[in-house]
């Protein structure tokens, strides 16, 4: 199998640990006899935070290495670059990160959240808390721009106001003009779709301007425990995040997973939503292969969609016919110890909707 993540460049801060969690699942499965009696061999490649490199490496994995499937990707730019490669070469990608939706491919299993499972529950939570004026800030690529298009439609429908919208290049570190605009905007909350290590610069410059999260709330969609540790929990304390997993989830499955990960990667290791999706994705692939009694892509994707509920460290999940997971949404607040206190959870796992009806009316996804 291929494992394809950014092990260098601006996205390495987030992706190296997803690779680690994916390899841990593979090692665990091998220790119990592998899949259909075969040992899984991981071919690890570096996407180098560059969509073109992701496309090249995906092609290498499928054509030269002849892998059965690939686990990987983070940014939507990397996924969009890989998608035609997987469709042309009839491969199957297990994509572990929340994204902007507006896509539906038979050659991708989307284990990360669709917008109605992350950004829209976060908006519902903020609205219930009385926030009416929103400032949208993001990295300049497809996920933040599409996520914010969806947010703008829903904020307008509710009668709220978007008081500013700014983008900085992926990897960018100069937020001086953005901070000035935020200060002048009268925003009550910031919705943050900045990705990678640019977040370090953003939160430092906000704090230097006298606007730490304690003073002006920030709801982030790409900052999890790993990024909080790298940025420094003191800088991010009281900031908010929406995900489908927090390390602080108190379930037997999650406690066992955390313990196993820390015994392998260090007692201070922290675990994030995409890491768990990377880990769970390997087990879901294994279950689908065993159900299909085959490694063949079409048989595996059909078997994956036919599987029922599975208990995982994320909670209960299962695939919808659109090849995305039903999953629970959470809003958390970052504490001084770098862990998130869960403030809110959806009552049950939310059915994934690839096409937001307000932003993309009339578009549907039928794969099976």
């Amino acid at each position: 199998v291929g494992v394809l993540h950014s092990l260098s460049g601006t996205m390495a801060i987030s992706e190296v640990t997803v690779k680690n969690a994916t390899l841990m699942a593979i090692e665990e499965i091998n220790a119990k006899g592998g899949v259909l009696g075969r040992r899984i061999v991981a071919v690890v490649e570096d996407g180098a935070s560059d969509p073109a490199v992701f496309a090249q490496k995906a092609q290498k994995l499928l054509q030269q290495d002849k892998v059965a499937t690939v686990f990987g990707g983070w940014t939507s730019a990397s996924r969009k670059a890989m998608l035609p490669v997987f469709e042309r070469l009839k491969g199957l990608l297990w994509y572990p990160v929340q994204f902007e939706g507006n896509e539906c491919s038979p050659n991708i299993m989307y284990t990360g959240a669709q917008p109605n499972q992350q950004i829209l529950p976060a908006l519902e939570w903020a609205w219930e808390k009385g926030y009416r004026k929103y400032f949208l800030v993001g990295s300049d690529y497809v996920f933040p721009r599409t996520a914010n298009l969806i947010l703008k439609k829903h904020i307008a429908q509710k009668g709220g106001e978007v008081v500013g919208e700014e983008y900085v290049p992926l990897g960018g570190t100069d937020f001086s003009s953005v901070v000035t605009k935020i200060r002048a905007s009268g925003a009550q909350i910031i919705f943050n779709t900045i990705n990678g290590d640019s977040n370090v610069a953003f939160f430092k410059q906000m704090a230097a301007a006298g606007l730490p999260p304690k003073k002006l709330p920030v709801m982030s969609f790409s900052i999890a425990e790993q990024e909080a540790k790298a940025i420094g929990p003191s800088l991010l304390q009281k900031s908010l995040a929406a995900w489908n997993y927090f390390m602080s989830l108190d379930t037997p499955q999650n406690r066992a997973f955390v313990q196993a990960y820390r015994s392998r990667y260090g007692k201070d290791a922290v675990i994030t939503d995409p890491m768990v999706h990377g880990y769970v994705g390997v087990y879901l692939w294994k279950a689908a292969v065993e159900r299909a009694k085959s490694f063949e892509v079409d048989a595996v994707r059909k078997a994956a969609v036919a599987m029922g509920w599975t208990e995982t460290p994320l909670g209960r999940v299962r695939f919808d016919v659109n090849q995305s997971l039903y999953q629970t949404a959470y809003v958390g607040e970052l504490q001084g110890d770098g862990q998130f206190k869960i403030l809110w959870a959806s009552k049950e796992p939310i059915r994934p909707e690839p096409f937001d009806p307000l932003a993309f009316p009339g578009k549907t996804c039928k794969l099976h």
Side-chain angles (χ1 to χ4, degrees), residues 76 79-80 95 97-104 110 112-116 119 142-143 146-147 150 324 353-356 360 363:
S76 288
R79 190 193 68 256
K80 294 275 187 198
Y95 178 69
V97 186
Q98 96 296 355
F99 73 116
E100 72 288 346
N102 195 29
E103 182 183 296
C104 175
Y110 302 90
Q114 298 280 357
N116 72 306
I119 59 173
V142 62
F143 165 61
T146 311
I150 293 167
S324 295
E353 283 182 21
F355 297 104
D356 180 77
F360 310 110
K363 288 182 89 172

Side-chain angles (χ1 to χ4, degrees), residues 211-339:
L211 294 172
K214 289 177 215 175
K215 196 163 176 186
L216 178 57
V218 181
M219 174 76 74
S220 295
F221 301 105
S222 294
I223 289 184
E225 294 83 349
Q226 175 74 22
E227 292 77 15
K229 187 180 180 184
I231 294 166
S234 59
L235 202 59
L236 293 177
Q237 199 169 346
K238 296 287 183 189
S239 72
L240 304 159
W243 287 105
N244 304 95
Y245 168 89
F246 287 112
M247 187 174 171
S248 53
L249 271 176
D250 193 15
T251 64
Q253 288 87 355
N254 187 45
R255 286 195 298 272
F257 170 72
V258 170
Q259 189 179 354
Y261 189 89
R262 285 184 150 178
S263 68
R264 192 168 303 237
Y265 293 111
K267 64 181 188 339
D268 297 324
V270 292
I271 294 159
T272 66
D273 171 296
M275 289 165 67
V276 180
H277 281 88
Y279 174 85
V280 168
V282 181
Y283 275 97
L284 292 172
W285 169 75
K286 172 185 183 285
V289 166
E290 288 172 346
R291 184 185 178 98
K293 298 185 175 60
S294 168
F295 293 95
E296 197 269 318
V297 163
D298 237 24
V300 170
R301 48 184 280 272
K302 285 173 181 164
V305 162
M307 294 191 302
W309 291 99
T310 306
E311 288 293 343
T312 74
L314 291 166
R316 287 166 69 243
V317 300
R318 74 174 175 88
F319 278 108
D320 188 68
V321 289
N322 57 36
Q323 294 183 189
S324 295
L325 284 182
Y326 279 77
Q327 50 197 322
T328 304
Y330 299 97
V331 171
E333 180 186 75
L334 192 71
Q335 307 298 294
D337 63 356
Q339 287 297 314

Side-chain angles (χ1 to χ4, degrees), residues 21-40:
T22 304
L23 292 178
M24 181 172 116
I26 290 168
E27 287 164 20
E28 287 176 354
I29 291 166
N30 281 337
K32 291 176 184 165
V35 184
L36 295 186
R38 297 194 190 187
R39 189 170 165 274
I40 308 170

Side-chain angles (χ1 to χ4, degrees), residues 34-63:
V35 184
L36 295 186
R38 297 194 190 187
R39 189 170 165 274
I40 308 170
V41 178
V43 183
V44 180
E45 291 288 356
D46 179 10
S49 305
D50 182 338
V53 175
F54 269 95
Q56 290 160 9
K57 294 294 175 77
Q59 184 163 331
K60 174 198 173 280
L61 287 166
L62 292 170
Q63 283 191 321

